[in-house]
Amino acid sequence: MRARLIAVGERMPGWVAEGFAEYRKRLSHELPLELIELRPGARGKGRDDARATLDEGVAMLAAIPRDTHVIALDGRGKTWSSEELAAQLDQWRMAGRDLAFLIGGPDGHAPDVLARAEQRWSLGPLTLPHMLVRLVLAEQLYRATTIAAGHPYHRA
């Protein structure tokens, strides 16, 4: 099983890129993680933010490979503890499909993207910068794999 993180936004700050790269390396054997960055839609004075979100949605849907289980990161989604995420990861493994985790742009996901998602995952009630969400997601996936493997990384 492979995982893809499909995210709107380019050029992570150095500290996020370093952290993400570290967890990506740690995941390389258990859950290879690929990052696909999408160009944000045009926003600003005289621009239509809703159109930008729709354009981001079109690009995101095009980046999702066929027969992939899609999980949208969404503040209105379901929250999972680290142990619940580990159990969820086991269920996804049993289904035998690759995974795609989606992080939308500044205005969230386009309606078509949310309709395509089979699950919605919330990291909690806090509003996090989308670049930081990439790092948190990678760390939590690593934590979930270590829980499933009985590795002492997670000390609950």
Side-chain angles (χ1 to χ4, degrees):
M1 182 174 68
R2 300 181 55 82
R4 287 174 184 80
L5 171 54
I6 304 172
V8 174
E10 301 169 305
R11 289 175 248 123
M12 292 184 277
W15 62 274
V16 172
E18 287 176 31
F20 183 85
E22 174 63 27
Y23 287 108
R24 183 180 180 176
K25 183 175 88 176
R26 292 181 187 195
L27 282 164
S28 64
H29 298 293
E30 291 295 319
L31 183 65
L33 179 62
E34 176 186 4
L35 174 63
I36 299 169
E37 294 181 306
L38 305 174
R39 171 170 272 140
R43 288 178 172 75
K45 188 175 180 178
R47 306 269 181 165
D48 181 1
D49 290 350
R51 177 80 247 162
T53 300
L54 291 175
D55 291 345
E56 292 163 357
V58 168
M60 188 166 280
L61 291 172
I64 301 170
R66 290 181 44 183
D67 197 31
T68 297
H69 185 88
V70 177
I71 304 100
L73 278 289
D74 179 26
R76 293 170 304 278
K78 184 171 174 44
T79 58
W80 294 316
S81 68
S82 296
E83 293 84 1
E84 289 169 330
L85 178 59
Q88 188 64 66
L89 189 59
D90 284 340
Q91 289 176 10
W92 292 332
R93 270 205 178 99
M94 295 299 288
R97 296 167 62 198
D98 286 344
L99 304 172
F101 296 93
L102 312 179
I103 300 174
D107 299 305
H109 289 292
D112 288 349
V113 171
L114 291 176
R116 171 64 177 88
E118 294 163 74
Q119 290 177 286
R120 294 184 194 185
W121 176 20
S122 171
L123 296 178
L126 296 173
T127 300
L128 300 172
H130 288 200
M131 291 294 179
L132 182 56
V133 169
R134 297 176 185 198
L135 179 54
V136 171
L137 176 127
E139 191 280 335
Q140 285 299 300
L141 290 175
Y142 175 70
R143 183 176 297 274
T145 62
T146 63
I147 290 169
H151 187 278
Y153 177 82
H154 178 71
R155 293 180 176 95

